[in-house]
């Protein structure tokens, strides 16, 4: 049995977040998402949170060193001792090298990098079908969760719209960014022999069933 110190790689719209949550439940390990780290550090007013906020307030990107320090702080907490899934970090090769350093200092290592290998066409189909109610913010999807009457919210009768982020042109741009910055990580972990590609067709059986199968195949131990 192998300890589950995992990284989740996948394009926006690949279902990365859902799969990460499912795997955490299956294995009883901690989910470490950089979005949550930022929110919590800022909310609790930690030194790192204040530092991050000073960059965000200026409209600048938070430097990798600050994010890495938050990740190290989080991975030092006892609930990650039985394993963890990192979601949103690393996103670049430079961050992956920082992560190696952090883990070496903590006496840990990555057991597997899971890559949700979803074709671009499928991602565009998933994301560009999303719609939101302009009144109550209820989410819909043209194909998977359509409203009863077209363009109208079932709950409140409000008008449905597509967020700019979800429009096909924007999705294509986000996929390009993913390909140029994050995809090289697949090669990085692949060269180490710890990359595991998870095909999209598994997703139809539901995230929990998928991830249980992946965990069993990899011999990951549940806590
Ligand atoms: Zn509504």
């Amino acid at each position: 049995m192998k300890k589950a110190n995992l990284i989740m790689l996948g394009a926006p719209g690949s279902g990365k977040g859902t799969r990460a949550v499912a795997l955490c439940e299956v294995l009883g390990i901690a989910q470490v998402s950089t979005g949550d780290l930022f929110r919590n550090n800022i909310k609790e007013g930690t030194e790192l949170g204040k530092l991050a906020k000073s960059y965000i307030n200026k409209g600048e990107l938070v430097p990798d060193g600050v994010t890495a320090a938050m990740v190290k702080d989080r991975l030092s907490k006892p609930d990650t001792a039985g394993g963890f899934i990192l979601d949103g970090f690393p996103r670049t090769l430079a961050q992956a090298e920082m992560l190696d350093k952090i883990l070496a200092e903590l006496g840990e290592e990555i057991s597997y990098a899971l890559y949700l290998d979803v074709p671009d066409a499928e991602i565009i189909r998933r994301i560009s079908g999303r719609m939101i109610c302009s009144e109550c913010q209820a989410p819909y999807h043209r194909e998977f969760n359509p409203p009863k009457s077209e363009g109208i919210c079932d709950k409140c009768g409000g008008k449905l719209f597509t967020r700019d982020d979800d429009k096909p042109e924007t999705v294509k741009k986000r996929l390009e960014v993913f390909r140029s910055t994050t995809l090289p990580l697949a090669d990085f972990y692949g060269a180490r022999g710890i990359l595991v590609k998870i095909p999209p067709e598994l997703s139809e059986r539901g995230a929990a069933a998928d991830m249980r199968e992946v965990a069993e195949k990899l011999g990951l131990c549940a806590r």
Side-chain angles (χ1 to χ4, degrees):
M1 285 297 220
K2 221 169 182 176
K3 194 173 156 190
N5 288 349
L6 307 170
I7 292 174
M8 208 68 163
L9 301 172
S14 62
K16 190 159 59 89
T18 321
R19 297 277 186 92
V21 169
L23 198 48
C24 285
E25 279 167 13
V26 168
L27 292 170
I29 55 176
Q31 187 189 7
V32 177
S33 105
T34 39
D36 291 343
L37 284 183
F38 277 116
R39 272 187 294 278
N40 293 342
N41 274 282
I42 289 172
K43 204 175 76 192
E44 287 160 18
T46 66
E47 288 308 312
L48 289 169
K50 283 180 201 157
L51 197 54
K53 207 176 167 194
S54 71
Y55 289 99
I56 294 168
N57 287 346
K58 282 184 281 182
E60 289 173 16
L61 281 177
V62 178
D64 281 354
V66 178
T67 312
M70 283 185 193
V71 170
K72 186 177 180 190
D73 176 58
R74 182 68 186 86
L75 294 183
S76 310
K77 301 238 161 83
D79 68 319
T80 62
F84 56 82
I85 296 182
L86 272 173
D87 177 8
F89 189 91
R91 271 191 217 275
T92 62
L93 274 179
Q95 291 183 353
E97 279 156 9
M98 284 182 181
L99 179 63
D100 279 347
K101 224 179 119 223
I102 291 171
L103 291 174
E105 283 163 10
L106 297 173
E108 296 280 350
E109 59 179 2
I110 293 296
S111 31
Y112 291 107
L114 309 180
Y115 171 38
L116 299 180
D117 195 11
V118 184
D120 284 7
E122 172 67 15
I123 286 183
I124 290 167
R125 182 171 147 240
R126 288 187 193 178
I127 300 186
S128 61
R130 289 178 186 165
M131 294 177 295
I132 293 179
C133 173
S134 54
E135 300 292 327
C136 74
Q137 269 74 48
Y140 293 88
H141 194 283
R142 272 186 196 89
E143 234 175 295
F144 311 126
N145 176 28
K148 289 193 185 82
S149 36
E150 206 189 313
I152 306 287
C153 177
D154 294 346
K155 296 189 178 95
C156 74
K159 245 182 114 179
L160 303 184
F161 75 105
T162 304
R163 293 187 320 147
D164 283 342
D165 258 9
D166 295 340
K167 290 185 175 152
E169 321 75 87
T170 323
V171 177
K172 275 181 199 150
K173 267 190 211 122
R174 287 163 72 196
L175 284 173
E176 274 167 34
V177 172
F178 170 75
R179 231 188 316 273
S180 60
T181 61
T182 310
L183 213 46
L185 292 179
D187 295 330
F188 180 78
Y189 293 112
R192 233 181 252 185
I194 56 169
L195 184 77
V196 178
K197 280 194 185 183
I198 302 178
E201 56 263 31
L202 281 171
S203 65
E204 277 150 32
R205 293 181 298 128
D210 272 13
M211 297 328 280
R212 193 163 298 121
E213 186 177 306
V214 168
E216 277 167 16
K217 222 179 256 172
L218 297 176
L220 296 171
C221 53
R223 283 178 82 193

